[in-house]
Amino acid sequence: MKYIITTAAFIGIALLILLAKAISNSDLISSDSFRILLGLNIFFICSLIILIAVQIFRLLQSVKKEITGSRLTLRLVLSFALMGIVPVLIVYLVSVNFLTKSIESWFDVKVESALEGGLTLGQKTIDILMSDIELKGKSIAYSIGNADTDERYNILTDLRVKFGIQDAVIFDQDSKIIEVSSDKNNLIPSIPNIEDLERGGEDFFGRIEEIKGEEIYLKVFIPIISKNLMSKRLILQLTQPIPPSIANLALSVESVYDEYQQLTYSRNSLKIIYILTLTLVLLLALLSSVAASFVISRRFSSPLAMVANATREISKGNYKKIISEQGKDEIGVLIRAFNSMTSQLEEATRNSEKDRERLEVARTFLETILAHLTTGVIVIDDKKIIKLNNVSASKMLQNKENKMNDTAMNKIILNNSLFEPLYEFVETYIDGNKKNKKEVSQEFRLKKDKEERTIMLQITPLSDKRSTKYVLVIDDISEVTQAQRHSAWGEIARRLAHEIKNPLTPIQLSAERIQHKFSNKLNKEDSIILERSTNTIVNQVNALKIMVNEFAEYARPTKIKKDTVRIDSLVDEVIELYEINKMISIKKEKNIPIIYADQNKLRQVIINLIENSQDALKEIKKPKIKIFIKKKVNEVELIVEDNGIGIPDEIIGRIFEPYITSKKTGTGLGLAIVHKIIEEHDGKIKIERISNSGTRVIITFNSGK
Amino acid sequence: MMGYSMRFLKKVSFIIIIIIMLLVIMIRMPNSENNEILIKNVVIENSENVKKIKFNQEINFDSLILKAINKGIPLAFKVTLRVVEISDIWPTKTILKKVGYYQIEYKTLRKVYRIEDINGNKHEYKYINEAIQKILKVEDFKFSFIDNNMNYNLWLNVALDRKKLPKPLQVNYFDRTWYMNSNKSIHQL
């Protein structure tokens, strides 16, 4: 559209110039060219009207669609158009009025009368001269008619000279020259028309002749009536120039009069053409200015529209929107400022994005750490609403959902009454009146039914200007406590072994020596008492020795000699040792992988477990011991289960501790030793009650090395 | 700059083509013919190498035109004579084209109507009717061409030559008074 309007502007200017030249100089452009020019102008005006109509339609469409900048463009177009139309219309109306009056003023009545007067004067002068030459001619004709033939020339010449006539020629009816007399010696007279001679032969006939519009001649024909009636009729032709001064004046008056008359006649045409031209010029100027106003308006509004669009883009987050430079005016300054602002925003956004990414990385890092922490971490606000937690915390609090965000802590904790003390402690801490609360920690030994856990809870307040949050670090230290207990028992066992085992042998020897030395010296009754007493001492010492040895075994640092072991073969080997193996059933999966372990220690583990099961099955009618060997991913699972009396709930949580046993006999060190051996093999052991009756021990080894 | 010019030309080429077409149409467009001149009684005389044509005309001189003549506006009529070769296959070929003028003019000073006939001879009449009767007869319009005994036609056309009118009348296209033209009169040679 820009190109079309530019072209239109060029064509419009060219047409205006041509039109102006055509009007000012009619000789320059022929009527055909002028017609083409007019046609072109009309065509161009129609094109401009169509162009403007299309532009208006498009602009209104844009306004309707609420395209940015369209309203401003419309407003500017209207303003520019009004600025153009009003003054041009005023000038046009004034010009048309002025033009019409000017053309009318050319044809003043006085001028016309004066010209008519001048022309009439010229005509009258010529008429007088014509009358004069008529009289002279008639006089010459009369004289020649009464003269003899041989005197005609002299009479003709004398009278011609006397009357001051330039040429005198006598013709007969056949246009034959009879006599010639002239001021010009070598005059060859031209033959007049037959019509002129015929008219001149009948009566006086005069004509005014014009030669090249410069000279006027009076030419008269007069019949010569001869006295000899029988002779041919002759015609006298006299030619007399009108004096140049009179002729020039008369011709110039005629010329001006003719021009004036022509102008008078064509004044309406003149008016029409001038008004038409003026209208075309007006329309060209007006429509060109309106068409140009679209370009100019768009030129003004487009940068602002671009700014508006760019602003919209920026509001959507596209900070890379840069507007092209628009010159050095205020709009250019605005655009440069806008681009600068956009660049700064982009830079700031980039930095913010980087910070956000860093924050995200840090958050992810923290979340990863929290997720992989075995310690439970919960962040709560002062209303005890959970804001953040990790998976361990959820598991530790035995919550089904991993995420506990925006849930009241009491709802989570009070689901399980085991953790009530924890909540009470937290509530007391948070609701307490202390300002500047310090970090606190407390160990809880929680027990409910058969479950017993040792929890360490640490509360750390985090305060900022707006609120205070609390980080609860929950650590299940049950295993640690158990390990400590195992370690303590180990120490006790070692001391017992050392402090008790040493005096036992002297005691036993002393008792045997007393019996040996005094049994023969005492009477039978005393001897029996002595023997019974010494036997009691020896037996109790032996019992103590056995107990001390077991303690020593538990306490002794184990030296593990690992080698490849086929657990299924080992189990088969051990079972063969027992006569009761009929009650033992084995279920093995195929291709059980080998493990890397101390075969002797594992044999001891299997024997301990089978013996424990045998002890539990003593009063059972249909005793059964089931052994399963399963392969898992990178693991081998050994399960020993029985349908015995089972382990009471009170002790099942501490069953791997020394001296914890449900049996009436025994030291309670068997499962403690089993637990120790399994731990030394980096395995896992778990003991559980079977729902109806019986116990299941599950041991997991890593397969391979 | 070159690229801009090329783009510009590409954009405006359509407009330029339309303008050129309109110009051609306007130039070629015949004038609105009023057919106020009727050619009749056409006589072609053959003498050795020269042919002469004479014909009569009927011209409707309305009061406006008579007034214009009396106001001193000269009326020149253009006689266009074409000798064409007619062929059933080929387009019509113009063998000869000859243009002649005759004119009527009122001389105010001398109060006579001066006629200049097609051969350039001048005649003056005191009354306009005499003068008009004179110009309605065109005589001895001579033309010559090599006659190969082909199928030649003579096309004759008479029109008022508007170019010889005063400029305001020439350019006033809305005034149809001055569009005087005859049909093409066709005669076998």
Side-chain angles (χ1 to χ4, degrees):
Chain A
M1 193 51 69
K2 185 174 71 180
Y3 296 111
I4 293 172
I5 290 175
T6 312
T7 313
F10 279 123
I11 294 172
I13 291 165
L15 289 173
L16 274 176
I17 292 168
L18 284 172
L19 209 57
K21 278 201 175 289
I23 289 296
S24 62
N25 185 359
S26 60
D27 294 332
L28 189 68
I29 294 176
S30 69
S31 62
D32 281 342
S33 309
F34 191 75
R35 186 175 68 168
I36 292 167
L37 199 56
L38 273 182
L40 272 178
N41 275 284
I42 291 166
F43 164 75
F44 184 66
I45 285 165
C46 292
S47 307
L48 273 178
I49 289 169
I50 293 167
L51 182 70
I52 289 166
V54 169
Q55 288 292 304
I56 290 170
F57 177 74
R58 287 174 59 181
L59 190 55
L60 290 176
Q61 288 288 101
S62 303
V63 171
K64 200 174 174 183
K65 289 177 186 170
E66 297 188 344
I67 292 171
T68 315
S70 56
R71 284 183 186 280
L72 180 62
T73 309
L74 181 64
R75 211 171 294 149
L76 285 171
V77 165
L78 287 174
S79 305
F80 285 135
L82 276 178
M83 281 163 63
I85 288 168
V86 172
V88 169
L89 268 180
I90 292 169
V91 170
Y92 172 72
L93 292 173
V94 170
S95 301
V96 167
N97 191 33
F98 178 73
L99 184 70
T100 312
K101 285 189 175 173
S102 298
I103 291 173
E104 286 297 333
S105 70
W106 297 347
F107 307 104
D108 196 307
V109 177
K110 289 177 184 173
V111 176
E112 191 169 0
S113 300
L115 283 170
E116 275 182 2
L119 189 70
T120 309
L121 189 64
Q123 286 169 343
K124 292 287 181 194
T125 307
I126 291 169
D127 287 346
I128 290 166
L129 289 172
M130 185 65 85
S131 301
D132 181 52
I133 200 169
E134 182 184 352
L135 284 174
K136 289 173 180 172
K138 283 181 177 175
S139 175
I140 293 170
Y142 180 78
S143 300
I144 289 171
N146 290 322
D148 294 331
T149 306
D150 51 352
E151 292 176 339
R152 277 190 303 209
Y153 176 75
N154 291 332
I155 293 169
L156 182 67
T157 304
D158 288 347
L159 289 174
R160 182 189 67 78
V161 173
K162 184 181 175 185
F163 290 142
I165 293 167
Q166 183 180 283
D167 300 324
V169 182
I170 297 171
F171 294 96
D172 64 9
Q173 286 174 318
D174 301 326
S175 304
K176 186 179 173 186
I177 299 169
I178 306 300
E179 297 291 349
V180 176
S181 173
S182 174
D183 286 347
K184 299 172 187 170
N185 293 329
N186 51 353
L187 172 73
I188 300 169
S190 58
I191 306 299
N193 290 332
I194 300 293
E195 292 170 10
D196 290 347
L197 282 178
E198 282 176 358
R199 289 178 68 181
E202 291 171 2
D203 197 0
F204 171 80
F205 168 65
R207 257 186 341 123
I208 305 159
E209 282 191 354
E210 193 181 317
I211 299 172
K212 296 178 183 175
E214 292 172 354
E215 291 177 283
I216 303 173
Y217 287 85
L218 298 176
K219 190 173 270 185
V220 297
F221 299 90
I222 307 133
I224 299 172
I225 300 165
S226 174
K227 60 183 181 183
N228 184 3
L229 295 173
M230 297 301 291
S231 61
K232 281 184 178 179
R233 173 164 288 191
L234 299 176
I235 300 114
L236 173 64
Q237 175 194 290
L238 297 179
T239 304
Q240 175 66 15
I242 293 173
S245 56
I246 296 171
N248 289 341
L249 278 173
L251 285 172
S252 61
V253 169
E254 183 193 32
S255 170
V256 172
Y257 180 81
D258 284 348
E259 281 182 22
Y260 185 81
Q261 287 299 322
Q262 287 176 12
L263 272 177
T264 309
Y265 184 82
S266 53
R267 68 174 142 184
N268 283 333
S269 296
L270 267 178
K271 276 187 209 169
I272 289 168
I273 290 304
Y274 275 111
I275 290 171
L276 175 69
T277 309
L278 199 61
T279 308
L280 287 177
V281 170
L282 165 92
L283 285 173
L284 274 175
L286 208 61
L287 295 172
S288 298
S289 70
V290 173
S293 74
F294 279 95
V295 176
I296 295 166
S297 302
R298 286 214 175 88
R299 201 178 171 81
F300 279 130
S301 65
S302 66
L304 298 173
M306 280 193 282
V307 170
N309 279 329
T311 310
R312 199 174 296 129
E313 286 291 316
I314 286 168
S315 70
K316 288 177 186 169
N318 178 13
Y319 299 106
K320 291 184 178 173
K321 187 80 181 174
I322 296 293
I323 305 169
S324 54
E325 294 281 336
Q326 297 283 329
K328 294 178 180 176
D329 56 3
E330 285 77 3
I331 290 176
V333 171
L334 171 70
I335 285 171
R336 278 194 291 279
F338 183 86
N339 284 340
S340 168
M341 182 196 76
T342 309
S343 302
Q344 287 172 12
L345 263 176
E346 189 190 0
E347 180 71 25
T349 310
R350 206 162 38 232
N351 290 337
S352 166
E353 190 66 24
K354 280 180 186 171
D355 290 344
R356 199 186 63 76
E357 280 172 9
R358 277 198 290 268
L359 203 64
E360 188 65 24
V361 168
R363 197 177 66 80
T364 310
F365 181 67
L366 184 65
E367 275 186 357
T368 310
I369 290 173
L370 283 175
H372 291 85
L373 268 181
T374 53
T375 303
V377 178
I378 299 174
V379 178
I380 59 171
D381 62 8
D382 49 4
K383 291 175 182 170
K384 296 177 280 296
I385 305 293
I386 296 172
K387 294 294 172 188
L388 180 72
N389 71 287
N390 64 351
V391 179
S392 297
S394 184
K395 283 181 182 170
M396 219 170 271
L397 296 175
Q398 297 173 355
N399 193 53
K400 290 176 185 173
E401 302 283 333
N402 283 339
K403 291 280 178 186
M404 302 187 290
N405 292 358
D406 298 323
T407 311
M409 192 184 173
N410 59 348
K411 280 189 182 174
I412 303 290
I413 286 184
L414 295 181
N415 281 339
N416 191 339
S417 58
L418 180 70
F419 301 106
E420 273 180 22
L422 288 181
Y423 183 71
E424 285 168 9
F425 179 73
V426 171
E427 194 175 35
T428 309
Y429 177 80
I430 292 173
D431 295 343
N433 291 326
K434 280 184 183 175
K435 288 184 178 177
N436 300 324
K437 289 174 182 169
K438 292 179 180 174
E439 183 179 291
V440 294
S441 63
Q442 186 158 331
E443 186 178 318
F444 294 88
R445 196 174 180 85
L446 306 172
K447 190 174 180 183
K448 183 191 170 188
D449 301 331
K450 57 183 178 182
E451 193 175 1
E452 186 177 336
R453 294 172 71 179
T454 306
I455 300 289
M456 173 65 82
L457 173 65
Q458 182 180 319
I459 307 176
T460 306
L462 293 174
S463 296
D464 59 22
K465 289 177 184 174
R466 289 180 294 178
S467 62
T468 303
K469 289 189 173 59
Y470 302 91
V471 180
L472 311 183
V473 179
I474 306 166
D475 219 347
D476 189 343
I477 56 171
S478 304
E479 289 182 1
V480 176
T481 313
Q482 200 173 24
Q484 285 173 346
R485 216 176 284 141
H486 283 299
S487 174
W489 273 112
E491 183 62 22
I492 290 167
R494 195 179 60 75
R495 283 179 180 275
L496 275 174
H498 182 69
E499 299 295 334
I500 295 173
K501 192 179 177 182
N502 288 344
L504 284 180
T505 304
I507 290 170
Q508 187 181 3
L509 289 173
S510 297
E512 286 171 350
R513 189 176 176 186
I514 289 168
Q515 187 187 5
H516 179 70
K517 197 164 185 178
F518 294 107
S519 60
N520 298 331
K521 292 175 181 177
L522 295 176
N523 57 29
K524 192 178 179 181
E525 204 172 291
D526 289 337
S527 178
I528 291 167
I529 292 170
L530 180 66
E531 189 180 353
R532 199 185 301 155
S533 299
T534 52
N535 283 342
T536 302
I537 290 168
V538 169
N539 286 339
Q540 290 302 316
V541 166
N542 281 335
L544 274 172
K545 273 185 179 176
I546 290 165
M547 188 182 75
V548 167
N549 283 337
E550 283 184 357
F551 269 111
E553 178 68 22
Y554 177 73
R556 188 186 304 127
T558 317
K559 288 181 180 174
I560 303 281
K561 291 178 183 175
K562 285 187 177 179
D563 202 353
T564 52
V565 175
R566 294 194 65 86
I567 189 80
D568 46 350
S569 306
L570 184 64
V571 170
D572 288 341
E573 187 186 313
V574 172
I575 286 172
E576 281 178 6
L577 299 174
Y578 291 88
E579 292 178 354
I580 54 160
N581 59 5
K582 289 176 185 172
M583 72 170 76
I584 298 174
S585 64
I586 304 174
K587 200 169 185 180
K588 299 181 284 185
E589 289 184 358
K590 290 180 180 177
N591 301 323
I592 297 294
I594 56 168
I595 59 170
Y596 197 65
D598 187 328
Q599 190 162 336
N600 293 329
K601 296 286 180 187
L602 286 191
R603 186 179 291 113
Q604 186 182 349
V605 166
I606 295 163
I607 289 168
N608 276 0
L609 291 176
I610 290 173
E611 282 182 354
N612 277 348
S613 293
Q614 280 181 329
D615 291 344
L617 290 167
K618 279 179 182 170
E619 295 174 3
I620 302 299
K621 288 181 180 175
K622 292 181 181 177
K624 280 184 183 174
I625 298 172
K626 293 178 184 174
I627 297 174
F628 300 95
I629 301 169
K630 297 178 181 176
K631 61 177 179 185
K632 301 277 180 182
V633 180
N634 298 327
E635 286 179 343
V636 175
E637 200 170 71
L638 170 67
I639 300 169
V640 179
E641 64 176 51
D642 60 58
N643 56 345
I645 54 172
I647 302 168
D649 289 340
E650 298 80 32
I651 60 167
I652 195 162
R654 298 168 58 203
I655 196 68
F656 293 117
E657 287 182 21
Y659 264 122
I660 301 296
T661 180
S662 60
K663 292 190 285 186
K664 292 174 182 172
T665 57
T667 59
L669 285 169
L671 279 176
I673 290 167
V674 166
H675 183 259
K676 189 182 172 195
I677 291 169
I678 297 302
E679 277 194 337
E680 284 168 351
H681 279 83
D682 298 325
K684 293 173 200 166
I685 183 165
K686 196 164 77 172
I687 191 161
E688 58 188 26
R689 272 183 73 103
I690 297 173
S691 57
N692 295 328
S693 64
T695 306
R696 181 184 293 125
V697 179
I698 304 163
I699 299 170
T700 310
F701 297 103
N702 292 325
S703 60
K705 291 187 178 182
Chain B
M1 187 64 190
M2 190 67 183
Y4 178 83
S5 306
M6 292 307 290
R7 277 201 305 279
F8 183 81
L9 284 174
K10 200 175 173 184
K11 291 271 182 187
V12 301
S13 58
F14 180 67
I15 303 165
I16 291 170
I17 288 167
I18 288 180
I19 290 172
I20 290 169
M21 282 171 67
L22 281 168
L23 275 175
V24 170
I25 290 166
M26 287 175 74
I27 290 166
R28 302 289 296 175
M29 187 174 64
N31 290 334
S32 176
E33 293 175 5
N34 290 341
N35 299 323
E36 289 170 338
I37 301 175
L38 180 66
I39 299 171
K40 60 183 186 180
N41 305 330
V42 177
V43 178
I44 302 165
E45 293 173 357
N46 287 311
S47 62
E48 292 180 358
N49 294 325
V50 178
K51 292 182 188 299
K52 289 181 187 172
I53 184 170
K54 62 179 181 181
F55 56 91
N56 291 333
Q57 303 161 88
E58 279 184 15
I59 303 175
N60 179 26
F61 288 103
D62 64 16
S63 59
L64 282 172
I65 292 175
L66 293 176
K67 189 180 173 187
I69 294 170
N70 288 326
K71 288 277 186 183
I73 294 169
L75 296 187
F77 291 86
K78 181 179 176 182
V79 180
T80 307
L81 179 148
R82 284 173 199 269
V83 176
V84 296
E85 182 185 331
I86 304 295
S87 168
D88 294 334
I89 303 166
W90 304 105
T92 305
K93 184 179 175 184
T94 300
I95 304 297
L96 171 75
K97 180 182 177 184
K98 188 170 182 184
V99 176
Y101 293 91
Y102 62 87
Q103 182 175 313
I104 179 170
E105 184 182 11
Y106 180 62
K107 303 305 285 185
T108 324
L109 184 65
R110 292 181 288 133
K111 296 186 223 173
V112 291
Y113 296 91
R114 191 167 75 173
I115 303 295
E116 186 174 339
D117 66 19
I118 200 152
N119 295 312
N121 299 321
K122 294 183 178 64
H123 308 274
E124 290 184 346
Y125 299 94
K126 196 169 183 180
Y127 302 104
I128 191 166
N129 289 336
E130 293 172 351
I132 287 172
Q133 288 306 315
K134 176 64 184 170
I135 63 166
L136 290 179
K137 290 179 181 175
V138 174
E139 293 176 334
D140 298 337
F141 187 32
K142 296 171 187 167
F143 63 98
S144 62
F145 62 98
I146 299 167
D147 190 346
N148 294 324
N149 294 321
M150 299 291 286
N151 184 19
Y152 291 143
N153 271 2
L154 182 114
W155 291 358
L156 202 58
N157 176 260
V158 180
L160 177 68
D161 190 358
R162 297 182 72 251
K163 288 179 184 173
K164 294 191 176 170
L165 289 170
K167 281 283 176 189
L169 296 179
Q170 283 183 38
V171 296
N172 185 2
Y173 303 105
F174 309 103
D175 186 357
R176 309 305 297 176
T177 309
W178 308 102
Y179 288 92
M180 298 173 74
N181 205 344
S182 74
N183 282 325
K184 185 166 68 181
S185 178
I186 302 171
H187 306 278
Q188 182 76 40
L189 281 175

